[in-house]
Amino acid sequence: MGIFRRRRRDDEEPTPAGPDVPSEPAGPAVPGTDAEPDEALPFLGVAEARHLRALVRTAFAERGIEVSVHAGHVADDAGRQFGLWNVAAACHQDDRGRAAWPFLVGSHVERVLASMDAPDPFGELSPDEAAARTFVRLYEREAIPRLDGFPFREFAPGLVEMLALDLPDTVAVYDDARAERLGGVDALRAHGLTNLDRQPVEQLERLDLPDGGGAFHVLLGESVHTASRALLLPRLATELTGHESGRHGWLLCVPNRHQVAWHLVRDATVIPVVQAMARFAALGFGDAPGPLSPHLFWWDGGGYQQLSRLDEDGALSIVVSPDFQRVLEELTGGS
């Protein structure tokens, strides 16, 4: 079955770990760079990534902060960590090229430092104000240094949902104490889902595969909450496409905060769609700010199973669990 590989029930799933810092966009390939992708920032070449890290270190130094440079983040003497992924993606995407990188990096560092020095956004907030501005939001698990002290739920392998307060220029994540003071986790989560549901549909696309090989839908938007609308499936899919989910569940991917894609599993076109969506997820994760997951997931009726795998060399494969194998066999007549 093409790139499908069967997974035993006792196979280990990827185990997440690691650090986070919010950031935003910067540029294309630098002439004469190493073609080899950087290990921590794979959409940049090795030489490009080295240049970016030097710019980040300089930007902090110009603002009076000495940082030590690591592959995916920098850290100051107080132990604060500042992630590099988003600023690297911003530089990679900027059409002006390398000349724009110092400005992009400097602006990014300014925003990060300003957010840390700003007054506590929860400080004067009332429960009613919090209810109107709270969203349930998906985060990449590896991007968060620690979860103790913060309300969260496991959403899918490598992804967690958390409570976020929407601010004019960024978002702030609730810790346990703030959530308790402003209405409690359950009430805030209910408000957060309602506010997600009220978000406008910015762009909905149906991507049809060649030769009648099925299709999947993609919701895209500038809102940083776009991908978190995955929490509204399958109702979201029904409202936007008119199709009900059946007993075989659905496929889902959330490559970055601006994209969520799904396919309601109903027939044998699921096989080419799985492969197409897995590629879509891997490409969307590696080339945008706010990365969430490079993987494809299947809703099995009780939770999400991860179907795709990216090896260290970047090779993509599909790993089929016994449950999903049974679905494939039923939809293809056992072939």
Side-chain angles (χ1 to χ4, degrees):
M1 299 181 67
I3 59 172
F4 286 80
R5 185 186 302 163
R6 185 169 301 185
R7 182 180 69 217
R8 303 189 317 274
R9 288 188 183 274
D10 58 347
D11 275 358
E12 289 188 358
E13 295 294 333
T15 45
D20 171 34
V21 178
S23 328
E24 302 296 329
V30 179
T33 47
D34 258 326
E36 181 185 353
D38 183 78
E39 187 173 346
L41 306 169
F43 43 86
L44 298 182
V46 170
E48 288 179 309
R50 189 184 306 121
H51 177 62
L52 176 87
R53 294 182 186 104
L55 288 175
V56 171
R57 183 174 186 176
T58 298
F60 275 102
E62 289 173 348
R63 291 155 181 83
I65 299 175
E66 185 62 33
V67 294
S68 57
V69 180
H70 304 270
H73 70 280
V74 298
D76 66 8
D77 290 341
R80 298 180 301 181
Q81 295 186 357
F82 308 89
L84 296 177
W85 185 286
N86 284 356
V87 69
C91 288
H92 175 61
Q93 292 172 342
D94 196 285
D95 292 335
R96 294 169 295 178
R98 184 178 182 179
W101 288 21
F103 170 75
L104 291 165
V105 170
S107 299
H108 173 81
V109 170
E110 288 280 4
R111 284 195 300 271
V112 169
L113 294 177
S115 69
M116 299 187 73
D117 295 334
D120 180 2
F122 297 92
E124 303 298 323
L125 213 57
S126 71
D128 286 343
E129 291 170 327
R133 293 164 51 189
T134 296
F135 287 79
V136 185
R137 187 168 169 192
L138 293 179
Y139 286 91
E140 182 193 11
R141 177 62 186 88
E142 289 190 1
I144 302 173
R146 59 185 180 82
L147 283 169
D148 53 300
F150 293 86
F152 73 95
R153 296 186 185 200
E154 301 287 348
F155 174 73
L159 289 167
V160 294
E161 60 169 270
M162 302 182 78
L163 297 173
L165 180 69
D166 199 45
L167 300 168
D169 298 315
T170 184
V171 296
V173 177
Y174 283 83
D175 61 16
D176 289 337
R178 291 183 175 107
E180 184 62 29
R181 182 177 73 79
L182 292 167
V185 171
D186 291 340
L188 286 169
R189 184 174 188 273
H191 293 310
L193 290 172
T194 298
N195 292 333
L196 265 185
D197 209 11
R198 290 173 175 163
Q199 288 277 288
V201 174
E202 296 184 54
Q203 183 179 352
L204 177 66
E205 294 187 2
R206 174 186 161 117
L207 300 184
D208 291 290
L209 276 59
D211 303 320
F216 62 96
H217 287 88
V218 185
L219 183 63
L220 308 100
E222 291 298 316
S223 168
V224 298
H225 304 297
T226 301
S228 297
R229 297 183 73 174
L231 291 157
L232 304 177
L233 288 173
R235 179 170 56 81
L236 177 70
T238 301
E239 290 176 357
L240 295 182
T241 67
H243 300 301
E244 298 276 353
S245 65
R247 60 192 181 88
H248 298 306
W250 58 89
L251 305 177
L252 167 75
C253 64
V254 281
N256 58 71
R257 66 191 177 201
H258 301 292
Q259 298 177 337
V260 52
W262 68 84
H263 169 82
L264 303 180
V265 179
R266 290 191 295 266
D267 55 39
T269 62
V270 65
I271 294 176
V273 169
V274 160
Q275 301 188 40
M277 287 187 69
R279 288 192 292 269
F280 179 87
L283 290 171
F285 175 81
D287 196 27
L292 286 175
S293 174
H295 297 301
L296 176 66
F297 304 101
W298 169 60
W299 178 263
D300 64 8
Y304 282 104
Q305 294 186 21
Q306 182 177 315
L307 296 183
S308 63
R309 173 180 295 166
L310 282 171
D311 297 331
E312 288 185 6
D313 61 359
L316 174 67
S317 59
I318 304 300
V319 184
V320 178
S321 69
D323 291 337
F324 194 58
Q325 180 67 30
R326 281 192 289 272
V327 168
L328 295 177
E329 289 172 355
E330 181 177 338
L331 294 174
T332 60
S335 59

